[in-house]
Structure formats: structure tokens, C-alpha cells
Amino acid sequence: MKRHEFDFDNYFKRYPDLNGFYGRYGGCYVSDELKEAMQEINDAYFTICKSTRFIAELRRIRKDFQGRPTPISHLERLSNKYGNVQIYVKREDLNHTGAHKLNHCMGEALLAKYMGKKKVIAETGAGQHGVALATAAAYFGLECDIYMGKTDIEKQAPNVSRMKLLGANVIEVTEGLASLKEAVDAAFKAYVDDYKNCIYCIGSVVGPHPFPMMVRDFQMIVGVEARQQFFDMTGELPDAVVACVGGGSNSIGIFSGFLADPVEIYGVEPLGRGEKIGDHAASLTYGEEGIMHGFNSIMLKDEKGEAAPVYSIASGLDYPSSGPEHAFLKDIGRVKYDVVTDEESLDAFYELSRLEGIIPAIESAHAVAYAIKLAKKMKKGSILVNLSGRGDKDMDYIIEKYGVR
Ligand SMILES: *Cc1c(COP(=O)(O)O)cnc(C)c1O
């Protein structure tokens, strides 16, 4: 691949712009009250997070508490099975708490501490973000309120226990379908009522500006480490980089390291059970432009033009939109977005476990499945996959439903 014709000089300074736009996507579509709160976070971000003290403290935490840098592993047996293409994984499953989410939660909670806030607030769906934020809050001695739908609380008992053990208050939301969307609404409402004392910590590169930018910047460490490590290991850059896309935080993290390089980049969305609306959550592939949760991006809509119902075996991927920067990177043609079904991701889940001794999160298995397909097509070269998390959380469910294949 040649260098992309889009000019990536100073990309991270130019995008987003001052109003939080990546081209036409992004922005801050919220009530005036919430706008004020977002402005406060934005101002704090540019003064505090760019200070040498903040940067030094975050660097120390990443090393001593999170266990960074996470390594890159060469998947020799898997690569050999599918031909000559060499597949590598960036091991975010080895990050403390077992996934990449702690990268932005530690950053957000450290910002809360520097801003003098007493409490962090967030929503959670499957509980992964809630657990990561509860961990960060415990580390910094902050109060932590996690809003979670009643339906999800019943489905995700182990994560509810983890959050409670870590000292968080898990607040049950019973409105509507009592799931992620209602939890977001309830958490934002609680935040507006008390924003002087607390800070909202979003779980991905979504939501109103400045969240997509902040979360990207905290996740960028994945791409920065990976680029150097891959080069040290092989003397080259990878030919392709692959990551799964839910809201889009682990993917933007690793992509950030390679945007200006002659490297093909692929974002993998969940096709679930198939192409019918309600059977998948492939928002960038099948969606259209629209605003939800305070930002403009590409989203899946129902016939009324509202957020469509979504499904994926991977609960971390079932969100009807994706971060605005992904919509932008798709439009300018820098990143290709494609899909993988439940079935294909399950095959990769079993295969990575058996051949490499790594049980991946079912979200991350989507990226591995895509890398296998790509390896068959490419014939030669190398692929670097972001292994966003470990599969302990999925193991029991998958064995009960699909057995040991
Ligand atoms: C939450 C989660 C995802 C999806 O979120 P992104 O913001 O798209 O990264 C992917 N993998 C794991 C392990 C997760 O916990």
C-alpha cells in the first residue's frame, strides 16, 4: 500500500476541531446545562491532561499498576495453519482487569482527581466498563456510581459482584427495556444534577465532545506501543492492522499508531445472526448518518429514524452507532470496515484457545476471525490484531450454549 493521499501531518492536532468535529461527524448535541459540564471537562482536559505532572503520573500508573506495556505475541501455530501470512496479537488481555477499557478509565479517573471531583459516574451494559471504572475509582479513592439496567443486572451477576467488591454503588435502572440505553439516560440525568461534584466517565469513543477525543487520546498508548514493539520484533511495520469495533475505543487506540503509515487498516463489526435489522450491530457497514447520545455519526435506524435494536453474541459490540472518528476515517477511505458473524467469531474463539493457549474475549475473537480470512487472501505478509480482552467472562456462557468444540 502507498501512503494514503489524505494528509496525516498533525492529524491529532487537527482532528477533532475546536468544536469536536471530525469532518461532519462528532460535535456536542446536548442540553445547555450539559453543554456547560462538557465545556468544563474540555477546559480541564487541555490544561490538566497536557501538563507534565499529569502525563508523568499516568505513565507511572500504566507501568506499576496496569502492567504496561502489554506484549505482542506471534501466533505461530495459527499462522502456519492458514499459510504464510504471519499473525501477531497486541495483548490487551494482559492489561490489569483483562481488557483495554482500563486504559481510558485510569485517565478519566486521574483527571477527576486533578479536577477535585469526589465521584465518578457511568453507565454500563454488560458490566465491563463498570468494572474498569470501579477499579480506577478504588485506586484513586473516588466514589463511584454505576447505572445499570435491571435486565443487565440479572444477566451479568459476576460483574455486579466485582463492582460491589470494588466499592462501587450499582444503581438499578427499571425504565423502558431496562438495558444500556436507559442506563445511559439515567446516568446522564444524575450527572447533570450534580456535575459540580462529579465527572461522567464514558465507556468508549462515543458521546458528546470532548469524550471521543479524550478516550482516543487515552487509548492511543496501545498504538504507540504496538508500532514500536512490532518494529523491534520484526524490523518492519505490519502489512495490516485489525481490530473489532463496538463504540470504537480499542480500535481507534491501535489505529492511531498507524494512520500515517503505509499499512492497511481494518475495523471489524459484528454481523451477529445476519443482515436483517435487529440481527446485527454493524453500524458503519449498514447505517446512515444520525445523531444519538449527543454526537453525530453513522448509526443504525429503525423505521421511525431512532436507534435500531441491535444484536451480537459479543455484548461489548452491540451498540447502534460508533465513534464519530470512525465515520470520518471510513468516509476518507483510510480505514476499511467489514463484518464477521457470531459463528465465525466462535470458530476463532475456539481456535485461538486450542492453538495458542489464549482464550480471547468474544469481542476480540471477531478481529481474530477477520485476520484469518485476510491471511487466506493475502498469501504473504503480516497482520497485527488488537486482542482487546480475555475471554474468562464469556467462557461459561459459550461452553453452556455451544459446548467444547
Ligand atoms: C467493551 C469491549 C469492546 C468494545 O468496545 P470498543 O470501545 O469498541 O473497544 C471490545 N473488546 C472488549 C474486550 C471489550 O470489553
Side-chain angles (χ1 to χ4, degrees):
M1 183 191 171
K2 290 201 302 288
R3 255 184 90 110
H4 196 267
E5 69 256 8
F6 184 84
D7 173 17
F8 280 97
D9 284 350
N10 290 315
Y11 173 81
F12 297 109
K13 284 217 166 76
R14 283 160 50 217
Y15 297 95
D17 69 14
L18 285 176
N19 296 314
F21 282 94
Y22 307 80
R24 54 194 296 121
Y25 305 108
C28 184
Y29 297 89
V30 295
S31 66
D32 287 346
E33 279 166 302
L34 205 49
K35 238 187 200 133
E36 217 172 286
M38 292 301 116
Q39 190 61 47
E40 188 198 346
I41 298 180
N42 189 53
D43 294 345
Y45 180 72
F46 280 107
T47 49
I48 297 169
C49 297
K50 307 288 181 195
S51 72
T52 50
R53 228 180 105 216
F54 184 96
I55 292 167
E57 187 165 356
L58 191 58
R59 186 175 292 153
R60 183 189 59 75
I61 289 167
R62 281 173 172 163
K63 176 164 173 286
D64 300 346
F65 179 67
Q66 289 183 231
R68 303 203 69 88
T70 56
I72 283 179
S73 303
H74 178 205
L75 307 181
E76 202 173 328
R77 295 207 326 126
L78 188 78
S79 304
N80 288 344
K81 178 166 175 185
Y82 291 102
N84 293 318
V85 175
Q86 299 307 305
I87 304 175
Y88 297 78
V89 281
K90 173 68 169 162
R91 302 290 305 278
E92 289 306 296
D93 60 317
L94 296 179
N95 197 34
H96 179 44
T97 71
H100 71 288
K101 284 198 176 73
L102 196 66
N103 296 331
H104 59 251
C105 286
M106 292 308 282
E108 289 176 315
L110 182 62
L111 177 62
K113 190 183 111 173
Y114 274 60
M115 287 172 79
K117 305 288 188 188
K118 301 281 176 285
K119 192 201 278 184
V120 290
I121 292 186
E123 81 296 336
T124 196
Q128 295 301 108
H129 176 53
V131 169
L133 189 61
T135 302
Y139 181 89
F140 292 112
L142 297 163
E143 272 182 71
C144 180
D145 285 356
I146 302 293
Y147 289 78
M148 191 169 184
K150 187 171 192 287
T151 325
D152 292 328
I153 289 182
E154 284 158 10
K155 277 199 279 196
Q156 307 290 343
N159 275 344
V160 174
S161 302
R162 276 183 199 109
M163 286 185 268
K164 289 184 176 165
L165 269 177
L166 291 160
N169 308 308
V170 180
I171 298 159
E172 185 178 270
V173 179
T174 53
E175 279 84 15
L177 297 173
S179 187
L180 180 62
K181 188 187 166 295
E182 291 79 18
V184 174
D185 295 340
F188 263 108
K189 184 170 180 311
Y191 174 57
V192 170
D193 291 344
D194 192 25
Y195 83 85
K196 292 278 176 224
N197 290 312
C198 52
I199 183 170
Y200 196 94
C201 293
I202 217 148
S204 189
V205 284
V206 296
H209 180 66
F211 286 122
M213 169 188 71
M214 260 170 55
V215 172
R216 172 195 73 188
D217 291 355
F218 290 137
Q219 286 295 345
M220 206 183 282
I221 185 67
V222 177
V224 170
E225 283 176 9
R227 187 178 190 280
Q228 186 65 45
Q229 288 170 315
F230 194 93
F231 193 82
D232 290 345
M233 237 172 141
T234 68
E236 305 173 343
L237 291 177
D239 293 295
V241 169
V242 178
C244 65
V245 183
S249 65
N250 88 85
S251 48
I252 211 78
I254 195 156
F255 296 172
S256 295
F258 299 93
L259 286 177
D261 294 321
V263 170
E264 300 275 5
I265 303 181
Y266 299 91
V268 184
E269 297 198 292
L271 189 57
R273 295 180 289 242
E275 289 182 13
K276 234 175 59 228
I277 204 88
D279 279 349
H280 66 82
S283 44
L284 292 158
T285 305
Y286 296 106
E288 49 189 308
E289 186 173 346
I291 297 173
M292 66 176 275
H293 290 157
F295 66 104
N296 184 41
S297 187
I298 297 178
M299 62 182 273
L300 291 167
K301 294 181 183 172
D302 63 13
E303 57 293 344
K304 280 190 257 152
E306 282 160 29
V310 282
Y311 162 82
S312 164
I313 188 176
S315 50
L317 301 180
D318 63 358
Y319 184 65
S321 186
S322 288
E325 193 165 6
H326 285 289
F328 177 66
L329 291 170
K330 177 177 195 245
D331 273 12
I332 63 169
R334 179 62 189 97
V335 177
K336 293 194 182 72
Y337 294 87
D338 207 342
V339 294
V340 153
T341 62
D342 278 6
E343 261 316 305
E344 291 167 321
S345 72
L346 277 167
D347 287 343
F349 175 88
Y350 289 112
E351 199 140 64
L352 193 67
S353 304
R354 238 346 122 75
L355 290 177
E356 298 289 345
I358 301 172
I359 301 174
I362 191 68
E363 288 83 4
S364 324
H366 282 72
V368 175
Y370 195 77
I372 291 172
K373 287 208 254 188
L374 204 55
K376 290 183 196 161
K377 257 190 267 169
M378 280 165 58
K379 306 273 193 300
K380 64 180 176 49
S382 61
I383 303 172
L384 174 62
V385 180
N386 197 18
L387 203 77
S388 53
R390 67 179 181 223
D392 305 46
K393 67 183 179 62
D394 303 308
M395 226 163 42
D396 291 345
Y397 172 80
I398 288 178
I399 287 191
E400 190 184 315
K401 186 137 188 227
Y402 303 95
V404 177
R405 286 188 191 165

